[in-house]
Amino acid sequence: MSPRAAPPRFGPLQLALAAAGTAAAALDLCMDGWVAAEYARRGQPGWAALSLSLLAVASAAAQACSWLWLRSDPPALRPAVPVAVLAALHLLQLGFFFRCVHALKVGWKVCWAKAEEEDEQRHMAFLSHDISMLRLFETFLENTPQLTLLLYIILRTNKAELSQGLGIGTAFLCVSWSLLDYHQSLRSFLQDKYELSLGSSIIYFLWNLFLICPRILVIALFALLWPYGVALHFPLVWLAMYFWVSLQGTDFMESSGPEQLYRAVVAVILYFSWFNVAQGRTLHRSIIYHGFILVDSTLLALAWLWGWAPSEEHSYLLPVVSAALPCYLLGLGLRATYYKWLHPNMQVQQEGGYDEVDASGGIDGLEFHSFLEPDLVNRRMQWLAHTQFHLSQPAREHFLNGAAAV
């Protein structure tokens, strides 16, 4: 690879996808507000308050990360907006949407303006990486708890309103899409030949969906009989995940204080889905994690079956629960299929190299994109790419030398 390869091109299609992602985030927020308003209108202020509380906590954590990142970014890459205005936007919980709108503005310039096109391409790549990560954070902090709450309420009332059905559909899609978008964003640090194909992207999307759905279902079912049990179960599992992440020695934020916030957010993600934060081969860590989640989810389902009193009203629940385990196993099977036949690894092996993300195997030909000047490197996402892509020694040295120049 040449010393400075061209950045991945950002064109009209990418601009349209970025606009669609921003619109989807706004729609999801509106759906959450609609659902909460419906609870309040039907005389259920407790559920409305809980729904809004989950939204507020998720938004506050995402805004805090966004603000911390902005403060640590190179001055040349910060939006041309006074610091006080940026702070006010984040306090008003509008920081993420401001980032999206700013990225769309830069993306429009990249697509249609000719001046300084290469610099703008680099700038757009920097912005896109952060938006992808923030979208993942907000999705798991807000959508997955909201999904669990929605399913719990539907199961308890034995009826589903239109707003609830639409909320469930959009939330499930947002969760799986955010994982795929994040994965593709990390892969953009590699040479173009390591990008996901359409078939690989579809399978990646589906196996995450099939693994997350049963997890959320059994938590909602457990809450149906023991709502206060979930209030105990979540902090215990979250604490275990937090310590597990801490033991892996993450180095994502600029200082130790914000790093604890990052670890806390990752622990929430791990409560629902696999998320790698450590470098090296991840096969053993993945087996441990999925084994733990499978046992934990099975115990939740068995606890529900033990306390469940069969009734005609909820007769459909038993086959639904019975389908949860096959669904989870199908997700694991699709994941194995992805890494066995559809992973970009397969194409690279034919060319004499290897590439690994969350899998086992060697890697001899992996190199990072060097299309960014040192002051344009998104250090956060580059470090994540380094931890998730198992590097050969030459590639590792290449990365570390580049990171040291930042």
Side-chain angles (χ1 to χ4, degrees), residues 46-307:
W47 288 348
L50 181 56
S51 180
L52 291 176
S53 297
L54 291 174
L55 179 62
V57 171
S59 180
Q63 301 298 324
C65 290
S66 175
W67 173 250
L68 290 169
W69 297 352
L70 278 175
R71 296 291 292 170
S72 64
D73 284 345
L77 292 178
R78 296 174 189 169
V81 176
V83 174
V85 174
L86 288 175
L89 287 171
H90 284 79
L91 286 174
L92 293 172
Q93 308 303 297
L94 297 174
F96 174 73
F97 286 103
F98 171 78
R99 280 179 173 271
C100 292
V101 172
H102 177 62
L104 290 176
K105 179 180 177 182
V106 175
W108 179 269
K109 184 176 180 181
V110 167
C111 291
W112 308 115
K114 300 301 182 183
E116 299 180 351
E117 181 180 356
E118 187 177 347
D119 290 340
E120 295 298 341
Q121 287 279 357
R122 300 190 189 108
H123 189 188
M124 191 64 212
F126 188 101
L127 297 175
S128 297
H129 292 314
D130 275 349
I131 289 174
S132 175
M133 191 68 174
L134 285 172
R135 181 182 290 114
L136 181 75
F137 282 1
E138 192 159 11
T139 296
F140 273 92
L141 290 173
E142 189 264 321
N143 286 109
T144 46
Q146 289 281 6
L147 265 173
T148 307
L149 177 62
L150 275 173
L151 283 176
Y152 163 76
I153 293 173
I154 290 173
L155 293 172
R156 181 172 176 176
T157 60
N158 203 37
K159 63 178 181 180
E161 302 290 339
L162 176 62
S163 60
Q164 293 173 322
L166 291 175
I168 288 176
T170 56
F172 267 125
L173 290 176
C174 285
V175 170
S176 297
W177 180 262
S178 68
L179 285 167
L180 174 61
D181 180 65
Y182 165 77
H183 185 75
Q184 290 177 325
S185 181
L186 286 189
R187 297 199 68 84
S188 69
F189 281 94
L190 303 179
Q191 293 178 352
D192 292 340
K193 65 180 180 180
Y194 298 101
E195 293 178 357
L196 268 67
S197 66
L198 177 61
S200 299
S201 298
I202 292 173
I203 296 300
Y204 193 93
F205 176 88
L206 288 177
W207 70 252
N208 279 291
L209 182 64
F210 288 145
L211 291 179
I212 292 170
C213 286
R215 177 65 174 171
I216 292 176
L217 174 64
V218 296
I219 295 171
L221 287 172
F222 182 74
L224 188 62
L225 295 181
W226 295 284
Y228 295 105
V230 173
L232 180 64
H233 177 264
F234 172 77
L236 287 177
V237 175
W238 175 86
L239 193 61
M241 296 299 177
Y242 176 82
F243 281 122
W244 193 40
V245 172
S246 299
L247 288 173
Q248 295 178 63
T250 62
D251 184 26
F252 182 73
M253 305 293 267
E254 295 292 334
S255 59
S256 59
E259 188 67 26
Q260 303 311 311
L261 172 63
Y262 168 71
R263 293 174 180 176
V265 172
V266 170
V268 175
I269 297 176
L270 287 169
Y271 182 80
F272 295 99
S273 175
W274 164 256
F275 187 81
N276 182 41
V277 294
Q279 65 182 12
R281 300 177 181 178
T282 64
L283 178 61
H284 296 127
R285 289 196 298 270
S286 180
I287 291 174
I288 293 171
Y289 170 81
H290 286 294
F292 175 86
I293 293 297
L294 185 58
V295 170
D296 181 67
S297 298
T298 301
L299 291 175
L300 292 179
L302 290 175
W304 174 81
L305 286 171
W306 177 70

